[in-house]
Amino acid sequence: MKLKGLRWWVIALIAVATVINYVDRQSINVLWPEISEQLYPDKSSDERKEIFSWISIIFVFSYAFGQAIFGKIFDWIGTRLGFVLSIGVWSVATALHAIATSFSSFAIFRAILGVAEAGNWPGATKGNAEWFPTKERAFAQGLFNSGAAIGGIISIPLIAFLTIYFSWQAIFIIVGLTGLLWLIPWWIVVKSPPEKHPWITDEEREYILTGQKNQDVNEDGIPDDGYNPNTGQLLSHRQSWGVIIASAAIDPIWWLFVFWIPIYLSEVYGMDVKSIGLYGWVPYVGAMLGAWFGGLIAQNRIKVGWSIDKTRKTVIGLGCLIMLPALLAMANPGGPVTAVLIMAVILFGFQTAIGNVQTLPSDFFSGKTVGTLAGFSGMAAKLTAAGLTYLVPWLTRGGNYTPAFVIGASLAILTLISVLVLCGRIEPLKSKI
């Protein structure tokens, strides 16, 4: 059996996994007002927010650790088994939240969830590098990233709806089971990389593999497999640090909203879980559109003859410039409708930029190095996200979130500087020797 467009089936499954990933992680954010009232009835709003912050920090630190190790794991055991391990463990961890009764038990299950969910990102980057030619990678990355946005769109109203019929414990079990069901089509469809997959057409195999051989290390006029350094050599390049720092700067902006949208709406506008379900999904519509836009515009510019260097820098710069004024506007957004619409603009800009930031490892390197650099970048990004998460309860005491949004605007500027200055010309690298 031959299946036309097999690469699109693969990226679609990865996008669905990302939807599930975000439904799983967002569940506690939406349910926290109800959970905290049940577990901590004598605590104030600021005290409950601080407890949530520490649970979130533990999740992000675990996520950072998971990104570092899963970059290597995907390089060792491959994309197919890597995703099975990642989503299998995170689905079980989600379901285990149902038996949590204290800070310590929530922290343990969030830690397991964080390590396992982290595999989704280096896995997606590696899957993209395996299954797509260079000119299509930004669009494919945008499709994958839109899964995160769709997960946000779905999760908040879905969880709010489920609270009508189920306890918060039952909701964790339901969403955990969803991930285990995903393993069935993944195991069936993704049998091997494109070089050996029995279902791929000869035309598609040739199209993918030819489009990936965009490097000529020995300059003999014949495309080859490119530069694939070891870890020490990888970190000796300033371009690698440009990718790592850009990722570390931009990622906390996303987590600022992922963690705090429901609590922001509850604290600033006095919303309950059901009201949050009516408003909290709107910012993720902007994220979804931005993921598509960033990928499509990059693909279009490359198709009309722009270089990878010009394309990546232009699209990343555009995304950062969209975020900057919108983040500052959150200092005084007015009513809740205006607030969530401004958030939608911010996440549109974020997703426009991030898809192209995430393709940088495969623009500079090839082979196993792609997963390793993606893992290091993801680890750095989650460490900075944890730092901002730690600061948010202190920065926002009394319900004033302006300092957090100003920090977000500063991070958008730092992202652009890292790409323009440290990354230099974005093109396949060669050995320094």
Side-chain angles (χ1 to χ4, degrees):
M1 181 182 75
K2 299 293 183 181
L3 188 62
K4 290 186 177 180
L6 183 59
R7 67 191 187 282
W8 300 109
W9 286 93
V10 174
I11 203 66
L13 281 171
I14 293 174
V16 171
T18 310
V19 172
I20 297 169
N21 185 295
Y22 265 79
V23 172
D24 285 11
R25 76 174 60 175
Q26 283 277 55
S27 297
I28 193 172
N29 305 352
V30 180
L31 293 170
W32 184 250
E34 181 178 330
I35 293 171
S36 62
E37 286 181 7
Q38 180 177 327
L39 297 183
Y40 307 104
D42 299 327
K43 302 253 182 217
S44 68
S45 174
D46 282 338
E47 288 172 329
R48 292 173 185 172
K49 187 164 61 174
E50 189 170 351
I51 293 169
F52 176 78
S53 172
W54 278 110
I55 292 173
S56 300
I57 288 167
I58 289 168
F59 172 83
V60 176
F61 269 115
S62 303
Y63 201 100
F65 175 71
Q67 290 243 307
I69 64 170
F70 263 104
K72 287 290 188 182
I73 287 172
F74 272 88
D75 285 342
W76 289 334
I77 68 176
T79 307
R80 188 193 195 202
L81 288 176
F83 267 108
V84 171
L85 177 63
S86 176
I87 197 168
V89 173
W90 97 50
S91 298
V92 173
T94 300
L96 287 173
H97 282 57
I99 63 174
T101 58
S102 64
F103 169 82
S104 58
S105 53
F106 269 113
I108 291 170
F109 298 141
R110 295 304 284 180
I112 298 170
L113 180 70
V115 171
E117 280 201 339
N120 198 62
W121 266 256
T125 301
K126 186 172 179 65
N128 188 356
E130 285 178 350
W131 281 91
F132 285 86
T134 302
K135 65 182 179 180
E136 288 184 348
R137 284 177 184 166
F139 179 59
Q141 195 75 20
L143 289 178
F144 148 67
N145 281 337
S146 71
I150 294 169
I153 294 170
I154 292 173
S155 63
I156 294 179
L158 174 63
I159 300 303
F161 173 77
L162 289 175
T163 60
I164 299 173
Y165 301 100
F166 301 99
S167 66
W168 61 263
Q169 293 93 338
I171 292 171
F172 280 119
I173 294 173
I174 292 168
V175 297
L177 289 174
T178 305
L180 297 177
L181 292 175
W182 176 90
L183 292 173
I184 299 171
W186 174 259
W187 189 256
I188 293 172
V189 172
V190 187
K191 298 180 182 299
S192 66
E195 294 92 335
K196 300 178 180 179
H197 202 292
W199 292 359
I200 194 170
T201 64
D202 293 338
E203 294 80 5
E204 186 176 17
R205 181 184 290 109
E206 179 68 16
Y207 175 73
I208 292 170
L209 299 182
T210 302
Q212 291 175 346
K213 292 184 176 180
N214 62 325
Q215 306 193 60
D216 185 9
V217 171
N218 56 15
E219 298 181 342
D220 62 357
I222 302 173
D224 47 48
D225 290 334
Y227 177 40
N228 186 18
N230 61 35
T231 300
Q233 293 168 333
L234 169 71
L235 296 177
S236 72
H237 290 276
R238 67 180 175 86
Q239 290 87 348
S240 298
W241 289 103
V243 176
I244 291 169
I245 293 172
S247 300
I250 195 171
D251 213 49
I253 300 172
W254 175 255
W255 290 87
L256 178 63
F257 293 93
V258 168
F259 281 146
W260 298 103
I261 284 176
I263 294 172
Y264 171 88
L265 294 174
S266 175
E267 186 172 18
V268 175
Y269 298 107
M271 295 185 183
D272 59 15
V273 172
K274 296 177 181 61
S275 298
I276 291 169
L278 294 175
Y279 287 89
W281 59 273
V282 174
Y284 293 99
V285 175
M288 178 183 68
L289 296 175
W292 294 342
F293 175 75
L296 284 171
I297 194 173
Q299 180 173 279
N300 175 265
R301 292 300 85 195
I302 293 172
K303 188 175 293 185
V304 300
W306 282 24
S307 67
I308 295 293
D309 176 69
K310 183 178 179 181
T311 299
R312 298 286 184 252
K313 289 176 179 175
T314 299
V315 179
I316 292 169
L318 177 61
C320 291
L321 292 175
I322 290 170
M323 284 190 285
L324 184 58
L327 281 160
L328 295 176
M330 283 300 297
N332 186 22
V337 173
T338 305
V340 295
L341 288 175
I342 294 173
M343 290 181 194
V345 173
I346 295 167
L347 295 190
F348 177 91
F350 174 87
Q351 287 291 351
T352 296
I354 192 64
N356 284 266
V357 172
Q358 289 172 336
T359 62
L360 292 176
S362 60
D363 291 330
F364 286 124
F365 300 102
S366 64
K368 294 183 177 181
T369 309
V370 174
T372 301
L373 181 54
F376 284 142
S377 301
M379 179 181 66
K382 301 312 171 288
L383 290 175
T384 52
L388 183 56
T389 302
Y390 171 77
L391 292 174
V392 166
W394 175 72
L395 292 170
T396 63
R397 285 196 178 277
N400 178 18
Y401 281 73
T402 298
F405 296 128
V406 170
I407 289 175
S410 302
L411 291 171
I413 296 172
L414 179 58
T415 300
L416 188 54
I417 292 173
S418 299
V419 172
L420 295 179
V421 177
L422 285 176
C423 287
R425 182 168 180 79
I426 299 170
E427 61 184 0
L429 296 179
K430 300 177 182 178
S431 174
K432 292 182 177 181
I433 301 174

